[in-house]
Amino acid sequence: MIEHKILFTGTVGAGKTTAIQAVSEIPPVFTDVPSSDPENIGKEMTTVALDYGEISLGKAERLRLYGTPGQERFSFMWKILSQGALGLVILVDHSRPDPVQDLLLYLEHFKELIRETACVVVISKMSAERQTPDVKEFTHTMQRLGMVYPVIAADVRDKDQVLWILDLLLVQMETRQ
Ligand SMILES: Nc1nc2c(ncn2[C@@H]2O[C@H](COP(=O)(O)OP(=O)(O)OP(=O)(O)O)[C@@H](O)[C@H]2O)c(=O)[nH]1
Ligand SMILES: [Mg+2]
């Protein structure tokens, strides 16, 4: 059995827990507690340690899916969870005040992991009414940093869309080998 560790990260409420729950074949492990922090207005629960789920690809391969806590006060977990990861999914909540800045923060925090592995940037919660900054703008922001990775808009409540994200990562992992 070949196993790959995939890590989901991004701001509070970007959908890390939701994405892992959408695709996991085992009952996902999650460490959400009722949120009392002002960072979390509008959401009842928040992750304090990690999320974990699994999905198999045929008989011989399995993805182990980990999610980080979004709150920066738990960022000590980010490094721990990065260990051994072969791919990173950065979720960017488009409804936040400055999603480009959010993306830059995660690119900086995870730059070593990104350099060594695969990465997909997922813009979540993009509404039909407000589409600026658009996907192109996020892509250009990354290109200016010399980072060429897929950027897509997706709804991570939808299993098929999360499978698409994993597929984009796997393609990169295969071409790197
Ligand atoms: N409207 C809308 N809601 C979404 C979308 N994607 C996710 N959500 C909702 O946004 C919320 C995301 O919450 P979580 O999955 O707990 O977010 P998280 O990233 O794990 O947050 P922390 O663990 O607190 O850092 C859930 O209520 C989802 O149903 C989207 O594309 N559109
Ligand atoms: Mg969470």
Side-chain angles (χ1 to χ4, degrees), residues 92-94 98-104 107 121 123 126 131-144 147 149 151-152:
V92 179
D93 177 351
H94 194 264
D98 192 348
V100 171
Q101 191 53 44
D102 292 338
L103 173 60
L104 288 170
L107 290 173
V121 173
I123 315 300
M126 195 183 263
Q131 301 215 336
T132 45
D134 61 5
V135 167
K136 248 193 211 150
E137 194 166 333
F138 290 100
T139 309
H140 288 156
T141 299
M142 296 182 67
Q143 282 172 350
R144 278 195 289 274
M147 297 173 130
Y149 296 98
V151 181
I152 59 167

Side-chain angles (χ1 to χ4, degrees), residues 11-18 43 46-47 69-70 125 154-157:
T11 51
V12 171
K16 304 171 293 290
T17 300
T18 304
K43 204 159 73 82
T46 190
T47 305
K125 300 187 178 175
D155 185 335
V156 293
R157 294 169 296 183

Side-chain angles (χ1 to χ4, degrees), residues 97-171:
D98 192 348
V100 171
Q101 191 53 44
D102 292 338
L103 173 60
L104 288 170
L105 182 114
Y106 284 87
L107 290 173
E108 173 62 26
H109 262 287
F110 288 93
K111 66 180 177 215
E112 277 139 41
L113 179 65
I114 295 170
R115 201 182 304 128
E116 287 159 17
T117 63
C119 178
V120 175
V121 173
V122 178
I123 315 300
S124 65
K125 300 187 178 175
M126 195 183 263
S127 72
E129 299 84 53
R130 196 176 76 95
Q131 301 215 336
T132 45
D134 61 5
V135 167
K136 248 193 211 150
E137 194 166 333
F138 290 100
T139 309
H140 288 156
T141 299
M142 296 182 67
Q143 282 172 350
R144 278 195 289 274
L145 297 171
M147 297 173 130
V148 182
Y149 296 98
V151 181
I152 59 167
D155 185 335
V156 293
R157 294 169 296 183
D158 176 13
K159 181 178 179 180
D160 286 340
Q161 296 191 42
V162 181
L163 292 175
W164 173 41
I165 295 164
L166 295 174
D167 213 48
L168 286 170
L169 270 184
L170 287 168
V171 167

Side-chain angles (χ1 to χ4, degrees), residues 2 64 69 75 136 174:
I2 303 169
R64 292 163 36 220
S75 60
K136 248 193 211 150
E174 273 159 24

